[in-house]
Amino acid sequence: MAMNRQYRRMAQRSGEVDADGAPIAQRRQQPNQRQREDRATPAEFMREVRGELRKVAWPSRSEVISYSTIVFVLVVALTLFIAGLDWGFGEAILKLFER
């Protein structure tokens, strides 16, 4: 394997190659598999979920209403825009191929 001096020194420091630059065969480590006793019980899972949900910064009612209104208006506007483009291109294609 051809490698420059800097890369070989770096690989030697990390333990990937020996002093001659030959790769050191290493066994892959098996991924840690969780043991049956490491799993959370359903009650513990629900307690953790409730704890995490308490940390959430929930929006106020007025914020939800204003954001929902903005999203609705933008969806309607984009739908109308895309429908207009579709209609316009359709008419243009029909007039282009009309003989």
Side-chain angles (χ1 to χ4, degrees):
M1 169 189 235
M3 63 175 74
N4 65 23
R5 196 174 9 176
Q6 181 181 3
Y7 180 75
R8 184 173 55 233
R9 286 179 185 159
M10 185 178 62
Q12 285 172 348
R13 282 190 212 120
S14 66
E16 295 175 10
V17 297
D18 60 9
D20 297 328
I24 297 174
Q26 294 179 351
R27 269 193 172 282
R28 276 191 166 179
Q29 294 179 354
Q30 295 293 327
N32 293 339
Q33 294 183 359
R34 295 181 69 173
Q35 299 294 329
R36 182 76 177 160
E37 61 269 2
D38 288 347
R39 297 184 72 183
T41 63
E44 184 180 356
F45 175 75
M46 291 307 295
R47 278 194 302 271
E48 290 176 4
V49 168
R50 289 185 68 202
E52 290 296 321
L53 287 176
R54 283 190 199 110
K55 298 177 188 177
V56 175
W58 296 101
S60 67
R61 183 178 180 90
S62 63
E63 288 175 329
V64 170
I65 290 172
S66 64
Y67 294 153
S68 299
T69 303
I70 290 169
V71 168
F72 181 74
V73 168
L74 285 175
V75 166
V76 169
L78 286 174
T79 302
L80 291 174
F81 177 72
I82 292 172
L85 284 176
D86 181 45
W87 178 80
F89 284 128
E91 290 295 317
I93 293 294
L94 289 176
K95 287 188 182 199
L96 181 67
F97 290 111
E98 186 177 284
R99 290 186 178 198

